[in-house]
């Protein structure tokens, strides 16, 4: 991530604006300050960290609030460097031109963008872990009227497949870097036609790390249409058997099982397994039925909170870095910062497999999320309810 070090930090007068970059307010921590920055209606933090031992300052982007385009962060750092620092020791703010820098409509920056782009789509396929993209691109070519959503956790894979799709002028693809379980948990019910999971990492010795589990199966059943299908293709019999057993928890479903079926398109991993004479297993699950819609009316437990100055002081004094764990969620109090007469707290929370990292602001006017609100998943709602409970305990 772009950053630079300097020996001298000038006085920072806020608010400040130059060349489209706005620095609006500062929150001060024990040895790190956060500078609220805005460019093109995107908000994020610059992090100003003092290295007492080496008598230098490190200025960089705060990783959990980074903007959608790396160029925004680079520009903010350059403006800050030119106006508030002296004696730069070293810097790394240049863009990597080998990376896909320009924003492409084929890559979604976050889950909210996915939800916006899938509105009014009549047919949707999802592929989890598309890798080199052979199967995903094949589905896009064969089904031009279907939106193909690809999920991958490796950025280079997203960028490479986006380039291939653009070169073929395929515009029915949307790619995102996220955890599949998180995406499924925020999609509307009865929305998706097919979900593909081809050659996932088998984790035969660590089955708890598999994407497939009872919660995953429940979300697949909820988001798939009545005519929808979940399709697993794997070279691991253990994974195949585990997935079948998991879905058999449903009282009604149809399971189609195939072995060593040759498809029109083959991934590089499948080619490798075939050369080694390994068996390939297909499991196609359908018949889930109709699911109830998500409850959108639920509110986060902190949205109506308000603390007076005495209670805020008590929270400040009792705050500590600690973790609270429930059966299916966690809450981690990470850091606290002072902002005028309010408190800024960084928390991690949500499901164990995919945490949220957010900042909340506590003041006499109320409690609110500094940036966007988290999604109303059941794990997030439980974690924020725990947050409310802990904050109240700090005021006693």
């Amino acid at each position: 991530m772009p950053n630079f070090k300097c020996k001298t930090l000038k006085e920072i007068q806020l608010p400040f604006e130059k060349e489209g970059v706005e620095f609006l307010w500062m929150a001060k921590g024990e040895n790190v300050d956060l500078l609220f920055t805005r460019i093109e209606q995107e908000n994020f933090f610059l992090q100003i960290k003092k290295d007492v031992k080496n008598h230098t300052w490190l200025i960089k982007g705060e990783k959990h609030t980074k903007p959608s385009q790396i160029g925004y962060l680079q520009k903010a750092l350059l403006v800050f460097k030119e106006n508030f620092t002296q004696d730069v020791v070293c810097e790394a703010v240049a863009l990597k031109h080998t990376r896909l820098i320009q924003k492409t409509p084929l890559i979604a920056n976050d889950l909210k963008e996915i939800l916006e782009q899938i509105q009014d789509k009549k047919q949707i396929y999802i592929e989890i872990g598309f890798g080199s993209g052979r199967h995903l691109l094949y589905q896009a070519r064969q089904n031009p009227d279907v939106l193909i959503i690809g999920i991958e956790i490796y950025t280079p894979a997203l960028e490479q497949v986006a380039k291939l799709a653009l070169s073929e002028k395929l515009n029915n693809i949307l790619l995102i870097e996220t955890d599949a379980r998180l995406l499924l948990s925020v999609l509307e019910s009865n929305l998706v036609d097919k979900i593909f999971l081809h050659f996932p990492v088998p984790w035969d010795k660590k089955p708890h790390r598999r994407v497939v589990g009872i919660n995953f199966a429940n979300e697949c059943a909820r988001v798939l249409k009545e005519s929808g299908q979940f399709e697993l293709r794997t070279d691991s019999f253990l994974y195949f058997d585990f997935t079948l057993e998991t879905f058999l928890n449903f009282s009604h479903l149809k399971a189609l099982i195939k072995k060593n079926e040759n498809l029109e398109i083959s991934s590089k991993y499948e080619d490798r397994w075939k050369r080694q004479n390994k068996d390939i297993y297909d499991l196609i699950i359908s018949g889930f039925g109709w699911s109830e819609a998500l409850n959108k009316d639920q509110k986060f437990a902190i949205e109506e909170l308000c603390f007076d100055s005495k209670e805020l002081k008590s929270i400040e004094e009792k705050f500590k870095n600690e973790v609270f764990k429930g059966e299916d969620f966690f809450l981690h109090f990470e850091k606290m910062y002072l902002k005028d007469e309010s408190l800024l707290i960084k928390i991690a929370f949500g499901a164990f497999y995919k945490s949220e990292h957010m900042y909340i602001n506590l003041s006499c006017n109320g409690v609110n999320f500094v940036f966007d609100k988290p999604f109303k998943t059941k794990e997030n709602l439980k974690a924020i309810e725990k947050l409310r409970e802990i904050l109240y305990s700090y005021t006693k």
Side-chain angles (χ1 to χ4, degrees):
M1 185 178 290
N3 66 84
F4 70 90
K5 287 184 179 180
C6 66
K7 290 185 177 180
T8 305
L9 198 64
K10 300 178 184 178
E11 183 180 359
I12 303 173
Q13 296 285 347
L14 300 176
F16 176 89
E17 190 277 330
K18 190 173 184 179
E19 298 178 18
V21 178
E22 296 179 85
F23 300 131
L24 300 178
W25 50 264
M26 182 93 75
K28 294 187 173 293
E30 187 174 347
N31 67 333
V32 176
D33 296 339
L34 299 175
L35 181 59
F36 188 87
T37 305
R38 177 177 295 157
I39 302 180
E40 299 288 344
Q41 302 305 310
E42 285 208 41
N43 301 322
F44 55 95
F45 280 137
L46 289 188
Q47 193 176 80
I48 304 169
K49 184 176 182 179
K50 187 174 184 179
D51 186 338
V52 178
K53 182 179 179 180
N54 296 311
H55 305 287
T56 58
W57 298 86
L58 171 65
I59 294 87
K60 62 179 182 177
E62 199 281 326
K63 65 179 180 179
H64 292 121
T65 67
K66 61 184 179 182
S68 62
Q69 298 188 51
I70 197 72
Y72 289 163
L73 176 55
Q74 181 196 40
K75 186 175 182 180
L77 288 170
L78 291 173
V79 170
F80 187 89
K81 182 181 72 172
E82 292 168 1
N83 292 276
F84 298 113
T85 67
Q86 289 180 338
D87 306 318
V88 173
V89 177
C90 60
E91 58 182 307
V93 296
L95 294 174
K96 295 182 179 180
H97 297 290
T98 57
R99 299 286 296 276
L100 187 65
I101 301 302
Q102 294 299 319
K103 184 178 179 181
T104 167
L106 302 187
I107 297 180
N109 292 306
D110 54 38
L111 294 176
K112 288 182 174 63
E113 188 173 338
I114 285 275
L115 297 180
E116 290 172 1
Q117 294 201 38
I118 63 176
Q119 293 180 5
D120 303 322
K121 297 295 182 182
K122 293 183 178 180
Q123 287 186 285
I124 297 173
Y125 292 176
I126 295 177
E127 178 159 359
I128 300 169
F130 55 79
S132 64
R134 289 186 190 177
H135 180 262
L136 183 141
L137 294 169
Y138 169 79
Q139 290 293 338
R141 294 187 207 104
Q142 297 298 115
N143 303 281
D145 296 327
V146 177
L147 175 64
I148 315 294
I149 298 176
I151 304 173
E152 211 9 291
I153 59 173
Y154 300 110
T155 300
L158 273 85
E159 296 173 345
Q160 180 61 29
V161 172
K163 289 178 182 178
L164 292 172
L166 289 170
S167 69
E168 294 188 41
K169 295 182 171 55
L170 296 172
N171 59 8
N172 60 329
I173 287 175
L174 189 56
L175 311 175
I176 185 169
E177 180 182 350
T178 190
D179 188 291
R181 293 164 291 190
L182 181 59
L183 175 61
L184 292 178
S185 70
V186 301
L187 290 178
E188 295 286 352
S189 301
N190 313 298
L191 179 73
V192 179
D193 295 87
K194 291 185 180 182
I195 297 175
F196 300 102
L197 179 62
H198 284 194
F199 298 99
V201 178
W203 294 113
D204 288 341
K205 295 182 179 179
K206 298 180 180 180
H208 65 280
R209 299 195 64 177
R210 292 170 176 162
V211 66
V212 172
I214 189 60
N215 289 335
F216 173 83
N218 286 333
E219 290 300 333
C220 285
R222 185 184 62 79
V223 304
L224 282 168
K225 296 177 180 177
E226 286 188 277
S227 59
Q229 293 182 340
F230 167 79
E231 178 182 300
L232 170 73
R233 188 168 174 84
T234 179
D235 61 291
S236 168
F237 178 79
L238 291 177
Y239 205 117
F240 161 81
D241 189 54
F242 172 84
T243 304
L244 177 59
E245 182 179 353
T246 301
F247 278 95
L248 283 175
N249 282 286
F250 293 92
S251 58
H252 299 284
L253 56 76
K254 297 178 182 178
L256 176 62
I257 297 171
K258 299 180 182 180
K259 182 178 179 181
N260 295 328
E261 180 87 357
N262 287 318
L263 304 182
E264 292 185 34
I265 190 70
S266 177
S267 72
K268 64 178 182 180
Y269 292 107
E270 183 173 350
D271 291 341
R272 182 188 305 170
W273 306 148
K274 286 180 177 178
R275 288 194 297 270
Q276 297 175 7
N277 295 317
K278 293 187 69 174
D279 291 324
I280 306 296
Y281 305 93
D282 285 297
L283 174 62
I284 302 172
I285 305 291
S286 62
F288 293 105
W290 183 261
S291 299
E292 292 185 6
L294 285 175
N295 183 1
K296 295 183 178 181
D297 297 328
Q298 291 177 282
K299 290 186 177 182
F300 288 110
I302 63 168
E303 291 187 277
E304 297 179 357
L305 285 183
C306 191
F307 299 106
D308 59 32
S309 57
K310 183 179 179 181
E311 290 172 326
L312 290 174
K313 186 64 177 178
S314 179
I315 293 173
E316 178 186 347
E317 292 172 350
K318 294 179 181 179
F319 177 88
K320 58 183 177 181
N321 186 316
E322 56 185 333
V323 179
F324 306 91
K325 292 183 179 181
E327 183 178 345
D328 57 352
F329 76 93
F330 79 99
L331 169 66
H332 180 192
F333 280 47
E334 293 189 357
K335 297 178 182 178
M336 183 178 66
Y337 302 83
L338 303 181
K339 173 183 175 289
D340 300 324
E341 296 180 354
S342 64
L343 302 177
L344 190 71
I345 297 178
K346 184 180 182 181
I347 57 174
F349 62 96
F352 294 109
Y353 61 81
K354 182 63 176 178
S355 61
E356 301 262 16
H357 294 264
M358 292 196 170
Y359 289 86
I360 56 170
N361 189 70
L362 283 64
S363 74
C364 295
N365 296 321
V367 178
N368 61 281
F369 294 98
V370 177
F371 300 97
D372 292 336
K373 292 181 181 180
F375 286 102
K376 294 178 181 178
T377 64
K378 62 180 185 296
E379 295 90 355
N380 286 351
L381 288 162
K382 290 179 181 179
I384 299 303
E385 175 63 39
K386 185 65 177 180
L387 170 66
R388 178 180 182 276
E389 176 189 325
I390 300 301
L391 288 177
Y392 264 128
S393 73
Y394 283 173
T395 65
K396 306 303 182 184

